[in-house]
Structures are given as structure tokens and as C-alpha cells.
């Protein structure tokens, strides 16, 4: 298949592009390097030293003989996006090209407006470009489990059948998103559903859980292919932060009680899910929703797991409860369905002690690059103008001599 | 009370501003005249010859001694909006300042993107400005009954209690909006609900039905205060179009079978609803949703009613069924609740033969200004690029000599 990966230089996008390329698909990456720019803006960097995309793609070609096309530009620029779709003629587009951090969207008004405009306009542009230029192309859109919030009933996959006053209908599952970012994904979902109805587009919305892991079969072929490992308070995810904290012996920081329960999955399952969805497209006019995660954990569950495994590795760390910077339930019912991808053949990689060990080992390998000042939350949901740090706690040597302090691969 | 009317030069906004001013409230209008600009763009005009806002406000002051403040600018411009809120210090803001036409949003990609960005950003700006500058101010936001679509169950007012797998929760009513415009209102509703939760704002979302009528006690004080009467295929509403068609003896154009059922209300009820909501504000942190309409009709019901009343007035008109340019159910279940405003004291003006007679009489009074070429739908929901007419069927005399052909008032 011809598959375009929008946002293919990012964390999920890069792993997906390599995986699909390795499976023999013709892959193109569409990216404007916004994700790298946000690191510059925030004064943070991925724990793993990622290479420029051109170098990544060259190494991939040298190692495998497979070529991944590259289109550099912004999906919010319609002329660029349309010319790219017309030129590449994809059978499927996988749309990762959005601002995906909840804290980033909550920094202040400009970041909230940017997040919603960027995500909504990019997605609208994609819908129009597919309708006008490739109407049979399957749109695979990354949503988030965070669109649902934490209702006091089971979360279904996109739709729920409601009986009410003696009548019945199957309707979109009610959404209660918890940040301007999560809201942008809800806006996208509604927009896509509408265009499937009026234009007969085919789309699958993947409400993905929190992804962990850096290693896939493809990225471990060479140090130059290494994927991101974000542990900072804005773009980092909770499991990565805990691993980085364990690696340098600082307490694992749990927001509030830690009863916040979410769906999680291994990045190796992300890439496999995308492949399964590409191989089993939605019908014309169908707006299909899958919940893409494999296990539920509370934040405190994860902290205890990391603490235990770190202890076995000789790393003694405590757990510290911070005031929750987010407005969210710290203890709640949570039972989200996730059978549709399993029905298509997904065999999950569950979170095990050995996997946690490997995640902590990656953090240890790059521990000289860990900046502990970026662990602490500085974006408070209750404020409209969060002043963020710009001074790093890393020594100048660490900042400016990364190549020297990074251990060699292998 | 100090009440700011965002979009106070538009149809609902103008009637509301005068009504609240007449009741002794201190009123400010905030407007950038976008609505007048869209008429220029589309080559159409309101049937009633509305005056420049400065003239309207001067006449209002001369007749009543009451001053309405005016702030000219765009709510999508945060600096303007924030300085206005800081200067006027409203107790309540009524937010009408959005692009409100479904066909306009469906013209092409640029109009779709404009509608969503304009509406979402203006609304986000308002939420931030209120949180930062007037956190106790009551936000009264105009939504639309079209946010709900036409589900096969009763439509509740904003929320529905769902029992599912032995558990129960009260959740936002699922939304199935039918155009990029209606989608923008759904996006707004989600954004407002979130800020009520995280910032403790107080807001009322008014999911309004289709408004008809031009005359309120205030606008009929003087011809210079006359309100809009839009009958064109883009900004006109169905009842206005039927009245204009009856006035010049052309068939009433029903889209499809005409079984499309919607909620309707008289503009005199719109202004009273706004007052009731101002006087009974939401609590801090509360996101309240009212369905603001008084009666349900199908489009065919309305056509038959107009045909009947027109016949009694000596105007013989037929009914013509056109292919539906929209993608919507032409026959469906529809039962929407609307008791919350009645509970606050609304006494509705129902649609009667005498009211229809008065609407047709207004169309007759200005019949020289009726351009029959703007009746026919030219925006097809199934297309992504609708080329619209720019040539009017009105004679040059009618277009360029409006002051001469308009009958004098009184």
C-alpha cells in the first residue's frame, strides 16, 4: 500500500513509518519539524539524542534498501498538503501531525488558540484534500482516550446505544475532554464524522492511550534511528518521567493521590495497530472508532511498579505526591472497552517487569542528559498564564557537548 | 445590570440590545460589522433597509434618552476584546458574534476554515478575557438546536442521564451537527464546559431554534431602528424566504420532502429569553444548557401555513419541492425538550395566522427590493467548492437607488 505518515518525524510517527516501510509498504513522511521546534521553545530535549530526519532516512535506506519519501511542510498550509496528496497518491494517510501535549495547550491563551487552530485546520485541510484529490483514500486519525474523560459508566468504542423514554438510538459516546488539547481532538472527531456522512469519506479514529517504550525492531537497527524519549513536564509521559527519575535517584512525582487511571500501550503495539487498520480499511462513508490501548493502570500503580523494578536494579527511589496541576478526578471509575483492534489480530505487548527494566536501562544509558529541573509541573490548569522556566539545570558541557557525553550504541 | 452584546449589530443582537436598554440595563454593543460585509461578499441584502449602526444608536438615544455604548472591533482580536471587557466591566456578556450561516460554512474550504477558526477563536478569547478580567461575569452563549442533529430519541437540554451496564451517569447530550457552522458551535460548547470546570466560570449555552420575525416593540419605534429580514439562500431562514416568495407570487421552495422538523421561536421570545437568563445567572462553575425555542414545525408544515395565509391575503402561491442541497434526513423523529426557559417565566408568542400575515405584509412593503435569484440554493453540501452567483437579478435602479424605491415608514 501507499501510506502517507503525517507527522512522521515525531515519536509515534517515526516508529510507524519505519515499521510500515519494513513491511514492504510505500511510505512517505510529511512533517514540518514543529515537534523539534517546541523542544527549543521549552528549553528541553528528548533523553535519547535523535538525529536530523534527513540522516535518519539515509541510514534507513542504507541499512534496508528501502526509500521513505519526504515532503517537508505544514498540513495547515492547504496548497502544500494538496500538492503532496496529489503527488504521492496515498491509499491511506495516518494523521499524527498535531500538537499533542495537554500541558502545552494549557500554558496560556496563545498556546490554547494555537493548539486548537493548528489541529482543527490541519485536520480540515486533510479532509478537503482527500475529498478533492483522493476520495477513496482511508483516513486514519490519531485521537486520544482523553476525549472521553472519566465518566461513571463503561467507555465504549466511539458510540453508545442509548435507550431513553422508550426509544433507542446509537449515538456518539459523550465526550468530556480535560484540556484544550484534548478538546481539539474532540473537535476533529466531530469534523471527521460529518465529512464521512456528507462526502462518503472513509475514516478510522484511533483513540489512543498513553504510549510507552522507545525500542521497536526497526529503530534498534542503528543508533541513528533511535526514537524520542520525552520525560519533561510538558511533552513527557508519566512512565518516561518515572524512569528518568529512577535513573538519577530522585523521587517519582505522582500528581495528587495518583488514582488517575488511564489506558496504556507499548509503542510496538501502536505501530501494529496502524498496520492492522491500514490492512482493514473503513468502508466508504463509515466513521469507525477504535480504542487503541492494551491495559489500564492508575498513576500510582505505575509508580509502585517502577519503584519495585528500580529497586531490583539497585536504584532506591521514593514516591512523592505533588499537588495535581491538572483539574481531574484523583480517584474514579474507569472501564474502557478495547476489543476492536484485538478482533483484527492485535497481540499486545503487556507491561512487564522486564520491559520496565529495559525502559529504566535506556534512562540510565542517557542519564547524563537528564535535566531534573524539567520534572516538576509548571503548567497549572487553574491559571491562564503560566510562566515557564527557560534556564536549564544541565551544565553547559551537557548542553553544548551532547555528542561527547552520549554513550555509543550497541 | 451592565450587559455587553457581542454581535449587537446583527439580527438577534440588535433586537436584544434595544430590548435590554429599554428595560433600563446599561448596554454596550461590540461589533465589527462582519455581518454587513458578508452581504457585500454574497451580493445580497436584507429585505428591510437597515441603517448604519451609528445612525441607529443616535436615533435610539433621541427617542428614548438611553445611551448604548459602542466598541467597534473583532472578538477574534484578543487585545481589542480584553480592553473592551476591562473598560465596560460587564455583569453579563451575550455572545452573538459568530458566523451563523450553515450554507456559508459549506461554500468551500476557505469558508469552512474561516467559520470554525473565527467562531472557536472568538469564543476562546472571550473565555480567557472573562477569566482574567471579569471572572464573576455571566457568559451567555448562543448555541443552536442544530448541535443535536436529529437523533431517534428525545433531545434533552444539554445533558442526558445514561444507564449502561448497571451503572449510571449524567453526561453531555451526544451531538450530531449538520454543517461546518453547526460543528463550530459544538466545539464552542465543549470549550465553554471545560472552562466552567477548570476556572469556575459561569455560563449558559442557549441552543436556539430558528428565529422568525422582524418587529419588536423597540425596533418599531422608528423606521431607522428597523431590524434585518434575510431571505437569501445563504443567510436567510426558511420562514423569511417563504414570505418573500409569497410576496412576489413565486412558488415556495421546499428542500426535499420537507419533513425536516426543527424548533422555531419569535424574535420577541429571543430577547425575553436573554433577559430571563441575565436575571437568573448560572452559578460559578456551572455550565447550563437551555433549549431556546417554543414550537416545532416541519418545513412542509410552514410552507402549507404560509400558502394558506397568503391565499387569504389574495396571494396565490404554489409549493415546489427542490432536491435537498443539504445532507439531512427528510423525515425523522423529533422531540426536543424546552421547559427550562418556561420555568424561568417565558410566555411564548406562538406562530399564528395573524403573525404570518404580518410577516408577509413586511415582505409586501419592501417587495421592490426582493431579488428572486437569491432564493435558489447554490451551496450543495456534497460539493467542496460551490461557485456562487455574483450577478443580481435586480435592476440597476433597484440596486443603486434603494433610498428612492423604499416606501417611507409609518
Amino acid at each position: 500500500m501507499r501510506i502517507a505518515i503525517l507527522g512522521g518525524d515525531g515519536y509515534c510517527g517515526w516508529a510507524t513509518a519505519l515499521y510500515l516501510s519494513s513491511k514492504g509498504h510505500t511510505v512517505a513522511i510529511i512533517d514540518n519539524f514543529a515537534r523539534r521546534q517546541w523542544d527549543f521553545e521549552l528549553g528541553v530535549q528528548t533523553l535519547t539524542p535523535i538525529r536530523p530526519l534527513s540522516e535518519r532516512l539515509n541510514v534507513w535506506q542504507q541499512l534496508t534498501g528501502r526509500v521513505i519519501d519526504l515532503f517537508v511542510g505544514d498540513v495547515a498550509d492547504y496548497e502544500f498538503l494538496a500538492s503532496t496528496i496529489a503527488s504521492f497518491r496515498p491509499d491511506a494517510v495516518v494523521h499524527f501531525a498535531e500538537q499533542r501535549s495537554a500541558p502545552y495547550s494549557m500554558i496560556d491563551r496563545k498556546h490554547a488558540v494555537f493548539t486548537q487552530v493548528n489541529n482543527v485546520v490541519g485536520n480540515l485541510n486533510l479532509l478537503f484534500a482527500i475529498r478533492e484529490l483522493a476520495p477513496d483514500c482511508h483516513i486514519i486519525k490519531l485521537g486520544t482516550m482523553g476525549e472521553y474523560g472519566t465518566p461513571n459508566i463503561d467507555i465504549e468504542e466511539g458510540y453508545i446505544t442509548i435507550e431513553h423514554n422508550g426509544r433507542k438510538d446509537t449515538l456518539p459516546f459523550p465526550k468530556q475532554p480535560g484540556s484544550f488539547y484534548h478538546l481539539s481532538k474532540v473537535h476533529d472527531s466531530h469534523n471527521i464524522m460529518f465529512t464521512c456522512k456528507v462526502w462518503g469519506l472513509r475514516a478510522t479514529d484511533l483513540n489512543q492511550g498513553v504510549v510507552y517504550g522507545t525500542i521497536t525492531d526497526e529503530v534498534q537497527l542503528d543508533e541513528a534511528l533511535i526514537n524520542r524519549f520525552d520525560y519533561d513536564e510538558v511533552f513527557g509521559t508519566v512512565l518516561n518521567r518515572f524512569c528518568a527519575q529512577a535513573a538519577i535517584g530522585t523521587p517519582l512525582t505522582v500528581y495528587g493521590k495518583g488514582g488517575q487511571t488511564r489506558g496504556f500501550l507499548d509503542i510496538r503495539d501502536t505501530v501494529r495497530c496502524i498496520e492492522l487498520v491500514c490492512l482493514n480499511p473503513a468502508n466508504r462513508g463509515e466513521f469507525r472508532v477504535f480504542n487503541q490501548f492494551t491495559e489500564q493502570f492508575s498513576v500510582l500503580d505505575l509508580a509502585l511498579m517502577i519503584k519495585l523494578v528500580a529497586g531490583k536494579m539497585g536504584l532506591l527511589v521514593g514516591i512523592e505526591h505533588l499537588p495535581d496541576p491538572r483539574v481531574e478526578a484523583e480517584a474514579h471509575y474507569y472501564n474502557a472497552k478495547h476489543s476492536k483492534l484485538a478482533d483484527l489480530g492485535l497481540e499486545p505487548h503487556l507491561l512487564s517487569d522486564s520491559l520496565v527494566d529495559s525502559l529504566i536501562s535506556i534512562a540510565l544509558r542517557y542519564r547524563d542528559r537528564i535535566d531534573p529541573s524539567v520534572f516538576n509541573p509548571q503548567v497549572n490548569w487553574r491559571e491562564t498564564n503560566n510562566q515557564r522556566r527557560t534556564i536549564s539545570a544541565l551544565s553547559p558541557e551537557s548542553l553544548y557537548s551532547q555528542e561527547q557525553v552520549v554513550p555509543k550504541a550497541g
Side-chain angles (χ1 to χ4, degrees), chain A residues 322-378:
Chain A
L322 301 180
D324 193 342
R326 305 188 179 203
V327 177
E328 61 187 358
E330 293 179 21
H332 55 86
Y333 179 74
Y334 199 78
N335 184 37
K337 306 297 177 65
H338 55 107
S339 62
K340 291 188 181 178
L341 284 159
D343 292 346
L344 290 182
L346 177 66
E347 294 174 4
H349 298 80
L350 300 182
L351 187 60
S352 61
D353 284 2
S354 63
L355 183 65
V356 172
D357 185 310
S358 79
L359 290 171
I360 297 174
S361 296
I362 292 169
L364 283 171
R365 182 166 154 207
Y366 296 106
R367 59 173 289 166
D368 290 343
R369 288 168 57 95
I370 296 175
D371 178 353
S373 74
V374 308
F375 289 144
N376 285 335
Q378 299 185 62

Side-chain angles (χ1 to χ4, degrees), chain A residues 72-270:
Chain A
V72 176
D74 189 346
V75 298
D77 170 358
Y78 186 73
E79 283 63 38
F80 161 75
L81 180 65
S83 71
T84 299
I85 297 294
S87 161
F88 183 67
R89 296 173 293 104
D91 302 307
V93 291
V94 186
H95 182 16
F96 291 107
E98 299 204 327
Q99 194 298 94
R100 65 116 182 111
S101 160
Y104 189 87
S105 76
M106 298 302 296
I107 291 175
D108 58 14
R109 188 191 66 84
K110 287 187 178 174
H111 287 80
V113 168
F114 167 77
T115 298
Q116 293 209 350
V117 171
N118 180 71
N119 292 2
V120 168
V121 172
N123 187 59
L124 283 174
N125 282 349
L126 179 62
L127 298 170
F128 274 89
I130 295 302
R131 170 65 177 76
E132 293 184 347
L133 301 163
D136 203 45
C137 175
H138 181 202
I139 297 169
I140 299 165
K141 169 66 166 53
L142 270 290
T144 161
M145 287 300 296
E147 292 185 36
Y148 299 115
T150 55
N152 193 40
I153 58 173
D154 293 344
I155 295 171
E156 301 295 330
E157 300 194 61
Y159 300 91
I160 182 169
T161 299
I162 300 177
E163 287 196 47
H164 182 56
N165 298 346
R167 301 183 63 86
K168 194 197 284 197
D169 201 356
T170 298
L171 297 170
F173 197 96
K175 301 293 181 72
Q176 298 181 104
S179 74
F180 289 117
Y181 152 71
H182 291 101
L183 283 154
S184 76
K185 293 283 194 181
V186 172
H187 305 343
D188 287 343
S189 295
H190 281 104
N191 284 340
I192 302 169
M193 180 167 58
F194 171 71
T195 58
C196 288
K197 179 181 173 190
V198 297
W199 296 338
L201 299 187
R202 56 171 96 233
T204 305
D205 204 4
L206 297 174
N207 285 336
Q208 187 168 242
V210 182
V211 187
Y212 57 79
T214 294
I215 303 303
T216 55
D217 289 346
E218 296 72 44
V219 305
Q220 69 181 357
L221 287 177
D222 192 280
E223 174 80 8
L225 300 177
I226 199 165
N227 204 346
R228 305 188 64 93
F229 185 115
D230 298 305
Y231 67 97
D232 63 283
E233 49 112 12
V234 175
F235 276 94
T237 48
V238 59
L239 200 59
N240 284 2
R241 184 177 74 243
F242 288 163
C243 291
Q245 288 172 325
I248 62 168
T250 62
L252 313 183
T253 49
V254 169
Y255 297 168
K257 293 177 188 158
Q260 303 92 324
T261 302
R262 301 289 185 268
F264 288 79
L265 74 163
D266 188 303
I267 187 144
R268 291 172 295 177
D269 291 337
T270 292

